[in-house]
Amino acid sequence: MGLTANEFTVQFIATLIKFAIMAGILLQLPPVMVWAERRIPGMMQRRKGPNRVGLFKFRLYGIVQPLADTIKLIMKEEVVPEGAQKAFYHLAPIFSVFPAFLIAMAIPYGPDIHAFGFDVPLSIIRVDVGFLFIFAVSSLAVYGVTIAGWASNNKYSLLGSLRASAQMISYEIPLGMSLIPIVLIYGSLDLNKIVEAQNHVWLWGVFLSPISFVLFLISMFAETNRSPFDLAEAEGELVAGFHTEYTSAKFAAFFLGEYVSMFVLSCLASTVFFGGWQVPFVDILKIDDAIGFTGVGALIGFMSLLLKAGFFMWVYVWVRWTVPRFRYDQLMSLGWHYMVPLGLINIVLTAVILAAIRF
Amino acid sequence: MPDFSLILPHVVFHTFALLITIVSICVVAARHPVKSAVFLVVDLFLLAGLYASLDSHFVAAIQILVYAGAIVVLFLFVIMLLNLQQEQLKGVKFTVVEAGALLITLIGFLVVMFTTMSGKPTGLGEGSLDVAAIEAAGGNTQVVAMKLLTNFIWPFELASMLILMAMVAAIVIAKKDKKVVPAA
């Protein structure tokens, strides 16, 4: 609204560039994470993990292994099970990838770049209700799982998808509740404003609302169906859950969806609780002026966020190889009997304290 | 060079409107209940897009969160668990009552359409509702919140009570057949 034609062109081109960079990063996630997810447990369990595949004579710690894995995965035969709902069977992987990518657009990856009189924000779309947007879109992720299980015409798939979707719906509630105190404290639904408010280490969300952080961290694992809450694909009971009947590139799409939503939740956790693109003890908004070169601050901010998100990705892997899987009734009881009441108490407590301070 | 930033909102709005019409027809016309439900999700999602293109970001987000993200998932659950089969095609025959109901619905639809097309949008209270005025009052979320928690506090609270009552009633009805185990 109210943009001049010139500004419109600049923003349009900037958006295209941001799209390209983001797509590049997100699509590179699964290979890197697959490698990390085999090397890190190797390190933890005092074994080597994949270290043979390399380029020419260089083994490079096996980092080329994911390439081999990907080629193998794509070359596999594509099997469509008999009696499957064809259209939905083909659509389900798209349904599971789409929301994850959509959320990735709303996260602020760095401070605005002020260049040549234009103001370029470092999130692909700036939404003034960023929080709600993220919840709204992440609640759509259930459909990929549900439809995949139902369309494959397989009892294990259906059971797996019912488990997964019930779990995702249940844990959306504590996830949402854990962030309400943050909205109360910073007084905004705009993620960028929340990051700007955390310009000192002691103003980070994790210190102002530690209970929220614990609730968020637990729900994060349940939302992405990761261990210790990976009941949806408990291989001893359900073969592989909702993606039992998927092979080849469609299976890879589910993989991609899972890793992208892990990354997005990691970014959200760093944005909300660890200051997002802020760097401790440095005023990042003044770096550009101090150095005299535009964009340096944005780059440092971006790196800072990636580092924090990378830490959470590491936590995902760490927990997966440390904590055993829950039983399904334990999972539901944890969600509804402990986390939802705790979330409610947390909201009331925060509101009362804030009212007392501001009174 | 034409000013794209003025044309673009109209293009977006009409594209969404057209898509919503097509998908809505698909919801009713689809013969498999799961297909209907999935079309309904797409429909609600596009509707949220329409709200967003009208600068009502708050309503758009709530629309997806509540309807597309929560309510239709439950529809889908019920349909899948009941394992409903594809509807058989039936010859269309209306009874007099059905035809009358259809006619009244159509007339009502036309009346609503013409009144909304001719009149100006009015808010449920004093104050202007254009984009600039809302932006000045602190943005969408704040305006909605202020309205809900000041002018409309009683209807808001009553509605929440009503929903709570409906929920309790549903649980009571669902538990009706179970034997009550006396406390030890």
Side-chain angles (χ1 to χ4, degrees):
Chain A
M1 304 303 122
L3 295 174
T4 63
N6 209 356
E7 197 174 352
F8 180 75
T9 319
V10 169
Q11 295 291 0
F12 188 73
I13 293 169
T15 307
L16 282 186
I17 295 171
K18 284 186 282 187
F19 257 125
I21 295 174
M22 241 8 256
I25 291 177
L26 292 181
L27 289 174
Q28 287 312 310
L29 263 176
V32 175
M33 277 311 290
V34 165
W35 175 77
E37 221 162 350
R38 299 167 78 177
R39 291 294 297 196
I40 294 173
M43 194 182 77
M44 286 172 179
Q45 298 171 353
R46 298 195 137 220
R47 55 188 174 80
K48 287 205 163 69
N51 67 348
R52 297 286 143 159
V53 185
L55 283 178
F56 307 109
K57 273 186 166 178
F58 307 102
R59 283 189 181 162
L60 305 169
Y61 303 100
I63 192 131
V64 197
Q65 178 75 36
L67 191 68
D69 284 351
T70 315
I71 292 170
K72 186 204 78 176
L73 198 56
I74 290 173
M75 303 279 279
K76 289 237 171 179
E77 184 191 357
E78 249 198 91
V79 185
V80 180
E82 214 176 289
Q85 293 282 336
K86 289 267 162 50
F88 288 111
Y89 178 81
H90 293 300
L91 271 176
I94 302 174
F95 269 121
S96 84
V97 170
F98 168 72
F101 273 78
L102 207 55
I103 304 170
M105 290 188 207
I107 289 171
Y109 293 99
D112 293 6
I113 300 177
H114 309 279
F116 313 112
F118 295 112
D119 224 359
V120 182
L122 269 197
S123 55
I124 295 174
I125 38 174
R126 170 158 291 173
V127 208
D128 54 2
V129 285
F131 259 121
L132 285 175
F133 176 83
I134 284 172
F135 280 118
V137 177
S138 73
S139 64
L140 293 178
V142 184
Y143 289 103
V145 175
T146 321
I147 290 171
W150 172 77
S152 340
N153 190 30
N154 176 329
K155 293 215 164 57
Y156 290 123
S157 296
L158 186 62
L159 286 173
S161 82
L162 282 179
R163 270 190 179 186
S165 37
Q167 172 183 340
M168 281 158 95
I169 294 175
S170 305
Y171 275 80
E172 239 163 55
I173 298 165
L175 189 80
M177 280 182 172
S178 74
L179 291 180
I180 290 178
I182 298 289
V183 176
L184 287 175
I185 290 169
Y186 297 116
S188 177
L189 283 171
D190 189 340
L191 283 171
N192 216 44
K193 281 190 187 136
I194 289 170
V195 175
E196 272 163 20
Q198 303 183 44
N199 54 7
H200 190 278
V201 175
W202 294 114
L203 291 177
W204 283 7
V206 66
F207 297 116
L208 294 184
S209 185
I211 301 175
S212 291
F213 175 63
V214 174
L215 289 175
F216 187 89
L217 198 66
I218 297 172
S219 324
M220 225 166 88
F221 288 95
E223 272 296 291
T224 44
N225 284 324
R226 288 278 302 187
S227 179
F229 302 127
D230 59 346
L231 278 303
E233 41 191 293
E235 56 270 13
E237 305 154 23
L238 289 174
V239 190
F242 61 89
H243 51 60
T244 306
E245 295 286 0
Y246 281 87
T247 53
S248 187
K250 293 206 191 70
F251 178 70
F254 280 116
F255 235 74
L256 178 68
E258 179 178 329
Y259 282 121
V260 172
S261 50
M262 273 163 68
F263 176 71
V264 164
L265 279 178
S266 302
C267 281
L268 191 63
S270 350
T271 303
V272 172
F273 295 106
F274 287 90
W277 41 258
Q278 303 271 8
V279 181
F281 310 114
V282 179
D283 192 351
I284 206 161
L285 294 172
K286 285 181 186 147
I287 286 183
D288 273 7
D289 292 333
I291 297 179
F293 192 79
T294 309
V296 178
L299 194 65
I300 294 174
F302 184 49
M303 290 297 155
S304 163
L305 180 68
L306 278 192
L307 209 64
K308 287 167 187 168
F311 170 74
F312 280 104
M313 297 295 273
W314 186 74
V315 171
Y316 264 119
V317 178
W318 181 19
V319 169
R320 177 176 174 183
W321 292 93
T322 327
V323 185
R325 186 180 288 147
F326 275 54
R327 232 172 39 223
Y328 198 67
D329 59 316
Q330 289 172 331
L331 166 91
M332 281 297 171
S333 147
L334 176 72
W336 288 102
H337 292 156
Y338 298 97
M339 287 174 63
V340 170
L342 190 63
L344 280 173
I345 292 170
N346 190 24
I347 294 171
V348 174
L349 206 68
T350 315
V352 168
I353 293 174
L354 279 179
I357 291 173
R358 283 173 197 168
F359 183 59
Chain B
M1 187 172 154
D3 190 352
F4 282 115
S5 62
L6 289 180
I7 302 170
L8 204 63
H10 294 281
V11 175
V12 171
F13 181 88
H14 288 290
T15 316
F16 272 122
L18 187 69
L19 283 174
I20 287 170
T21 320
I22 294 170
V23 176
S24 303
I25 292 170
C26 289
V27 174
V28 189
R31 245 176 286 157
H32 200 291
V34 173
K35 282 183 193 165
S36 266
V38 172
F39 276 126
L40 191 58
V41 178
V42 178
D43 201 15
L44 294 167
F45 190 75
L46 289 171
L47 202 57
L50 196 68
Y51 291 146
S53 77
L54 294 172
D55 281 309
S56 312
H57 301 157
F58 181 73
V59 182
I62 292 291
Q63 162 86 11
I64 299 181
L65 189 63
V66 174
Y67 288 99
I71 289 179
V72 185
V73 177
L74 297 182
F75 285 10
L76 212 56
F77 260 35
V78 172
I79 294 169
M80 283 176 182
L81 289 178
L82 291 179
N83 203 11
L84 293 180
Q85 296 304 314
Q86 192 147 321
E87 270 307 293
Q88 295 301 317
L89 261 188
K90 276 192 290 189
V92 183
K93 272 183 200 160
F94 286 121
T95 62
V96 180
V97 181
E98 280 170 345
L102 195 66
L103 196 68
I104 291 171
T105 316
L106 270 178
I107 292 172
F109 176 74
L110 286 176
V111 168
V112 171
M113 195 175 85
F114 282 115
T115 35
T116 40
M117 274 172 71
S118 58
K120 264 189 172 177
T122 49
L124 291 166
E126 74 286 355
S128 152
L129 272 183
D130 52 32
V131 178
I134 287 173
E135 218 37 68
N140 258 305
T141 318
Q142 193 154 358
V143 172
V144 172
M146 285 309 282
K147 284 269 181 228
L148 264 189
L149 295 178
T150 53
N151 298 14
F152 297 99
I153 179 85
W154 293 114
F156 180 59
E157 290 295 328
L158 280 177
S160 70
M161 281 306 291
L162 202 65
I163 291 167
L164 186 67
M165 273 155 64
M167 207 162 79
V168 173
I171 292 170
V172 169
I173 290 169
K175 283 219 158 192
K176 192 176 60 179
D177 296 336
K178 298 268 165 63
K179 273 186 198 148
V180 180
V181 182

